[in-house]
Amino acid sequence: MIRLLLLLALTFGLASSASADDIAATGRGVVRVVTIAVIDDQVVGFGHGSGFAIAPNRIVTNAHVVDLAERYPDNVVVGIVPTEGSKSYQGKVIAYDSQRDLALIEFTGARLPPSALYTGPMSEGDPVVSLGFPGNVDLATARSAADYIRPMTPVRSEGVLSGRRVLSSVEVLLHTASIARGNSGGPLLDRCGRVIGVNSAITRGEEGDSTFGFAIADTELAAFLHEAKQPYASIGTGCTSIEDRLRQDADADARATADAASARRDAATQDAMTREVALEKARTEAGRARENVMALAGLLLVAGALVIGSAGLLESRGQRRQAVWALGIGGLSVLVAIIVFVLRPSGEVDVPLSGLPKTRISTPDAALGKLMCTLIPERSRITISSSEDVPIDWGAKGCVNGKTQYVGTQNGNGAGRWDRVLVPDAEQTVSVLSFDPATRVYSNTRYLMSAAGMEAARTARGVVPNVCNIDDAALARLAGQQAAVRAVLPPLPNEKLVYSCKSAR
């Protein structure tokens, strides 16, 4: 009966929710790891520990948590119990290191949000947080065996880092966060929710002694994952609160906007001066051309008069034939002089815009082409995301990569920002993407959501066309959908990634 209850509970469970903070966001990737030993259709052993997702379908835990499954793979079932959802899943051990006390489990049927390793410096006294499923809490609260394999939020405990030690040739972290049997394999986190170790053991509290926890150090975990050929996310930047980062970034954004506005004014002034110089040059050339034509007309007139005068002289000498030719040539010269004078240039400048230097200031909805955007670490807060460069192709009127339409807002200076809220179907993350063509600053504000929060965001999003250059009515609907999604987001995001973009050519 117990075996049937356990196996049924591995398939069906209850969902739970967590708050929208960094630790809770990591907690949605924390799982209970259950082992059930069966011999001759009888349950002869049951154990459980904790673990966390290092990839959407792979779990890190302690080797001793799945020791029975490693020794008796045909007689031991490994269950993965997420913190959210309505199901639990069967897994298998794919990497095992008894020396480091680490194991890697693979399962199918669901995708969990992976955790990231923090590879930066930690100092003694830094705050740490432990997540997992301590057995003493289970004993106090569990009403039946099924409660051990029913999805629920992991237990959180806080402490400080007490230093690094070597335990059986393995580097470990000593800390004061409260853990118990059942926490084994669960993550030890910094205050930004990034993994710094894997909880594995506790000291004995005898005669009133305080207990301490041991966690397999990040260096050992990274080496284990490397040997298992398991990719993982790693973050080396220090932990800053999202409130401080948003405040500092708002100041930096305001400075960047002011600098961009000043640059626009300087560019406009320089362009005006350049165009004025070009116009003045055109005026000078037009005046010179007018004077040259008038001088030519005068020369023709004088020459014509002289030739006509010579015709009279030739007539008086009886050279009538020559006099007629001279009179004709002189008259023609005078006529040409009059025509040239009448048709002389006015001296006014009439230069088409194409003939003047082009302005360097682009309009807010102009295309910028292919851009490569590089992270600005001092303006960013990262807990799980990659810090690699991001390429974008910025088209006219907020069309990105030829398929994603952004919604623009403009201020009184003619500058503005373009936004797009992305609510994916396969991830538990909502991203608010923004781009300012004036400053060429691109940002990704990420909300790491619970399952219930994502369902609400997807409902608010509705159906969004994946096309650009939509008409005004469709653009208004998109703006309304984005506003509806924003309304269901938590008050604060978990991450903000800010990039500086330059031409990729």
Side-chain angles (χ1 to χ4, degrees):
M1 183 66 180
I2 294 176
R3 177 175 182 268
L4 177 61
L5 183 60
L6 290 173
L7 293 178
L8 286 175
L10 275 173
T11 306
F12 301 98
L14 298 176
S16 63
S17 60
S19 59
D21 60 24
D22 294 325
I23 305 302
T26 302
R28 288 188 279 276
V30 173
V31 301
R32 189 195 296 268
V33 179
V34 179
T35 56
I36 305 170
V38 181
I39 298 178
D40 295 331
D41 293 329
Q42 297 294 321
V43 176
V44 297
F46 172 77
H48 78 93
S50 304
F52 59 92
I54 199 68
N57 67 330
R58 291 190 172 179
I59 303 298
V60 168
T61 188
N62 281 146
H64 74 259
V65 171
V66 293
D67 178 61
L68 284 177
E70 178 67 13
R71 287 189 290 163
Y72 309 106
D74 296 330
N75 298 98
V76 177
V77 176
V78 177
I80 301 299
V81 187
T83 62
E84 296 183 310
S86 58
K87 290 184 178 181
S88 298
Y89 306 91
Q90 186 170 334
K92 64 178 180 179
V93 178
I94 61 172
Y96 186 88
D97 188 333
S98 59
Q99 176 66 25
R100 293 192 177 100
D101 195 17
L102 292 172
L104 188 63
I105 303 172
E106 184 176 68
F107 72 101
T108 58
R111 293 176 60 86
L112 297 179
S115 302
L117 274 63
Y118 174 59
T119 58
M122 291 284 293
S123 302
E124 293 185 10
D126 284 349
V128 295
V129 179
S130 174
L131 289 180
F133 300 92
N136 51 6
V137 173
D138 289 329
L139 288 173
T141 59
R143 293 169 295 179
S144 68
D147 287 336
Y148 284 88
I149 39 185
R150 179 176 292 117
M152 63 181 62
T153 303
V155 176
R156 177 191 307 197
S157 62
E158 300 179 359
V160 297
L161 180 65
S162 300
R164 290 179 179 262
R165 299 288 190 273
V166 176
L167 190 64
S168 300
S169 302
V170 175
E171 186 177 22
V172 296
L173 304 179
L174 185 66
H175 64 87
T176 63
S178 297
I179 59 174
R181 288 186 298 272
N183 276 107
S184 294
L188 184 68
L189 311 172
D190 71 355
R191 57 192 176 93
C192 279
R194 301 169 301 190
V195 177
I196 60 173
V198 183
N199 286 315
S200 62
I202 56 175
T203 60
R204 293 181 178 180
E206 298 178 349
E207 298 181 0
D209 291 342
S210 298
T211 58
F212 289 86
F214 291 102
I216 307 301
D218 55 316
T219 52
E220 302 284 359
L221 175 57
F224 167 73
L225 294 173
H226 178 73
E227 292 172 7
K229 296 181 173 55
Q230 173 59 53
Y232 60 92
S234 62
I235 308 296
T237 56
C239 182
T240 304
S241 73
I242 188 62
E243 295 90 346
D244 290 343
R245 178 56 67 226
L246 291 176
R247 182 173 57 254
Q248 294 167 7
D249 189 58
D251 294 339
D253 195 48
R255 289 192 298 270
T257 301
D259 291 343
S262 177
R264 285 172 62 87
R265 289 192 298 269
D266 292 344
T269 301
Q270 184 63 39
D271 287 343
M273 294 176 62
T274 301
R275 291 166 69 87
E276 184 59 35
V277 169
L279 285 171
E280 183 60 31
K281 180 180 179 180
R283 293 190 188 101
T284 300
E285 292 176 352
R288 185 179 295 115
R290 174 183 171 86
E291 292 174 357
N292 290 339
V293 170
M294 291 178 65
L296 176 61
L299 288 175
L300 289 173
L301 183 62
V302 171
L306 291 175
V307 172
I308 292 173
S310 67
L313 181 60
L314 291 171
E315 179 67 23
S316 65
R317 293 179 178 178
Q319 298 176 338
R320 186 172 183 83
R321 182 179 177 84
Q322 291 83 350
V324 171
W325 277 101
L327 182 62
I329 293 173
L332 180 61
S333 179
V334 171
L335 179 60
V336 172
I338 294 172
I339 293 173
V340 170
F341 181 79
V342 171
L343 298 179
R344 69 190 185 281
S346 65
E348 298 293 331
V349 176
D350 185 19
V351 181
L353 292 178
S354 59
L356 292 176
K358 293 182 179 180
T359 177
R360 295 169 295 166
I361 304 174
S362 60
T363 59
D365 58 358
L368 298 178
K370 295 184 182 297
L371 304 173
M372 185 59 69
C373 302
T374 303
L375 187 77
I376 308 175
E378 61 272 18
R379 292 186 59 178
S380 301
R381 183 182 194 260
I382 306 176
T383 59
I384 64 171
S385 296
S386 169
S387 59
E388 294 180 354
D389 293 351
V390 175
I392 62 173
D393 188 351
W394 189 261
K397 298 181 179 179
C399 178
V400 178
N401 299 330
K403 62 181 181 179
T404 304
Q405 180 65 55
Y406 281 45
V407 176
T409 58
Q410 294 189 11
N411 57 33
N413 296 325
R417 187 184 67 189
W418 297 81
D419 298 327
R420 179 63 186 264
V421 181
L422 296 183
V423 185
D425 291 324
E427 298 179 22
Q428 287 190 210
T429 302
V430 174
S431 295
V432 179
L433 307 176
S434 297
F435 182 69
D436 187 342
T439 62
R440 297 202 177 187
V441 170
Y442 176 76
S443 66
N444 182 357
T445 303
R446 290 166 52 86
Y447 296 79
L448 308 181
M449 306 285 285
S450 66
M454 283 304 300
E455 185 63 29
R458 291 175 183 132
T459 300
R461 175 202 62 188
V463 179
V464 178
N466 197 26
V467 295
C468 285
N469 302 321
I470 55 181
D471 57 32
D472 291 343
L475 194 62
R477 286 195 299 272
L478 177 59
Q481 289 170 314
Q482 296 197 158
V485 174
R486 288 176 185 268
V488 301
L489 294 179
L492 292 172
N494 297 92
E495 294 186 308
K496 184 168 185 181
L497 287 70
V498 182
Y499 303 84
S500 175
C501 301
K502 296 182 180 180
S503 175
R505 292 174 298 191

